[in-house]
């Protein structure tokens, strides 16, 4: 039995679909079953909350492989998941981490993920770490300003990144959960092409057939204020602002061939992603 956390989120939904298509026996840890109604029929739903360890015992019963994805920046959820996995005798963990962990100059976003990786390593459970680059789905944050005013905010200027399709991250996660040979590995997952925001927007604009302006922000804080009008905890805002600065400084854009090596095919392209998600950007 495989248990996946974060099943109602970006990666988790793709992973549930991937496991369903593989015919794997799996369970989705959900806080609210109403949010899980559109998961594949073969997903067993189990209610539990990573904030409340007592709710996890039942969910982890009989689990052999665990996918851990925890939002935010602290490590408490990971600690609770790892403790429950240890108590249940889970034999394999796949952890979603971040490519910010790689490289010499690790920003706070990387340090938070590194702490989670360390918790998993310290547990002694054989583990695979997926250090994902930025998700292509981050572009959905542009949808409102594109639809309403025809522009996108650019906090990273000349910086490049090679966004990865969450479906590819999920496909690698499914592989590591269901096949041998991935334990002890740290996989850095990126898309095939590195883009500036201007270059990404040019592709999106062509695919959806609509002009889109790109507006540079003066400071990362401005981007955060405009992107998250309801506000963010200051600690999270600081981590995101630093991550923007990190990307801004990289004019090459980290790329790996790991997705292709593991899946035996090219990573999905940003153009394909735009075509699949075009309706989100149109009125
Ligand atoms: N965005 C990027 O570009 C990027 C790149 C690399 C790595 N990452 C990492 O990816 C992770 C986020 O993945 P995502 O975007 O797929 O997540 P997401 O869409 O934000 O979804 C978060 C998931 O966590 C669940 N969750 C939240 N609090 C919970 C709790 N207390 N107990 C149990 N489940 C809980 C949510 O369930 P509910 O439905 O109950 O809310 C939801 O399923 C973060 O660790 C992030 O740092 C992101």
């Amino acid at each position: 039995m495989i248990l996946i956390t974060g099943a109602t989120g970006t990666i988790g939904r793709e992973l549930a679909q991937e496991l369903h298509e593989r015919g794997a026996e799996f369970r989705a840890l959900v806080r609210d079953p109403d949010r899980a109604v559109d998961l594949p029929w073969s997903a067993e739903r189990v209610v539990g909350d990573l904030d409340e360890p007592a709710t996890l015992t039942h969910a982890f019963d009989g689990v052999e492989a665990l996918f851990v994805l925890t939002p935010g920046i602290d490590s408490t959820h990971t600690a609770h998941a790892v403790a429950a996995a240890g108590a249940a005798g889970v034999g394999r963990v796949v952890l979603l981490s971040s490519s910010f962990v790689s490289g010499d100059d690790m920003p706070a976003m990387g340090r938070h993920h590194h702490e989670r990786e360390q918790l998993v390593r310290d547990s002694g459970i054989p583990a695979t770490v997926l250090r994902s680059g930025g998700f292509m789905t981050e572009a959905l944050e542009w949808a409102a300003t594109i639809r309403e005013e025809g522009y996108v905010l650019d906090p990273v200027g000349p910086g490049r990144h090679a966004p990865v399709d969450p479906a590819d991250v999920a496909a690698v996660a499914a592989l590591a959960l269901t096949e041998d040979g991935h334990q002890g590995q740290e996989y850095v997952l990126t898309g095939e092409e590195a883009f500036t925001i201007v270059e990404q927007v040019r592709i999106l604009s062509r695919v959806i057939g609509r002009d889109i302006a790109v507006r540079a922000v003066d400071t990362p804080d401005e981007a955060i204020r405009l992107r998250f009008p309801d506000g963010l905890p200051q600690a999270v805002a600081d981590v995101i602002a630093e991550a923007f600065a990190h990307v801004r400084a990289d004019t090459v854009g980290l790329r790996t061939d790991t997705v292709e090596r593991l899946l035996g095919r090219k990573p999905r392209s940003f153009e394909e992603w735009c075509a699949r998600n075009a309706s989100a950007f149109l009125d």
Side-chain angles (χ1 to χ4, degrees):
M1 172 63 77
I2 296 167
L3 177 68
I4 65 176
T5 62
T8 54
T10 306
I11 297 290
R13 282 185 187 281
E14 298 283 0
L15 178 57
Q17 188 57 36
E18 190 73 37
L19 291 172
H20 171 72
E21 284 166 17
R22 285 170 168 259
E25 196 188 9
F26 72 106
R27 193 180 279 169
L29 181 82
V30 295
R31 292 190 292 182
D32 175 1
D34 285 349
R35 287 183 39 75
V37 283
D38 55 353
L39 289 181
W41 62 264
S42 61
E44 186 188 314
R45 278 81 161 159
V46 60
V47 174
D49 190 325
L50 290 168
D51 275 324
E52 295 173 38
T55 66
L56 302 179
T57 312
H58 167 63
F60 278 68
D61 190 31
V63 169
E64 291 138 1
L66 170 70
F67 176 71
V68 185
L69 173 161
T70 61
I73 57 171
D74 88 5
S75 294
T76 314
H77 286 174
T78 308
H80 290 163
V82 166
V90 169
R92 169 183 305 195
V93 171
V94 177
L95 173 73
L96 182 73
S97 180
S98 161
S99 60
F100 280 122
V101 179
S102 310
D104 299 333
D105 175 22
M106 202 190 293
M109 184 75 86
R111 294 197 297 277
H112 291 301
H113 277 285
H114 187 259
E115 204 173 295
R116 296 171 182 181
E117 291 186 9
Q118 205 50 48
L119 284 168
V120 171
R121 279 187 210 103
D122 290 348
S123 75
I125 304 172
T128 311
V129 172
L130 308 183
R131 292 180 175 165
S132 177
F135 303 158
M136 288 180 183
T137 38
E138 293 287 289
L140 291 171
E141 285 185 8
W142 305 337
T145 55
I146 290 177
R147 281 198 312 264
E148 288 156 24
E149 297 172 70
Y151 78 91
V152 162
L153 273 183
D154 177 6
V156 298
R160 284 195 150 75
H161 76 141
V164 62
D165 191 323
D168 284 346
V169 177
V172 172
L175 202 68
L177 286 164
T178 57
E179 294 182 9
D180 290 335
H182 302 288
Q183 287 100 330
Q185 302 294 321
E186 286 152 6
Y187 294 134
V188 180
L189 307 176
T190 72
E192 197 180 22
E193 287 176 274
F195 303 109
T196 60
I197 299 283
V198 168
E199 289 162 350
Q200 266 188 292
V201 169
R202 208 174 287 145
I203 293 170
L204 177 61
S205 165
R206 190 175 66 240
V207 171
I208 67 172
R210 184 176 169 176
D211 287 339
I212 307 169
V214 176
R215 219 190 96 194
V217 293
D218 293 330
T219 64
D221 288 340
E222 188 194 357
I224 290 168
R225 261 198 323 279
L226 293 169
R227 274 204 199 177
F228 303 96
D230 298 335
L232 280 180
Q234 192 54 46
V236 180
D238 290 347
V239 167
I240 294 177
E242 191 199 3
F244 283 153
H246 204 78
V247 176
R248 173 177 276 277
D250 181 359
T251 53
V252 179
L254 170 75
R255 267 173 298 171
T256 67
D257 64 356
T258 315
V259 170
E260 181 169 5
R261 198 159 43 79
L262 293 172
L263 301 182
R265 60 158 175 82
K266 298 270 182 213
R268 291 172 170 91
S269 70
F270 184 61
E271 186 163 0
E272 281 174 74
W273 182 90
C274 292
R276 282 206 315 281
N277 292 277
S279 61
F281 301 95
L282 298 167
D283 302 321

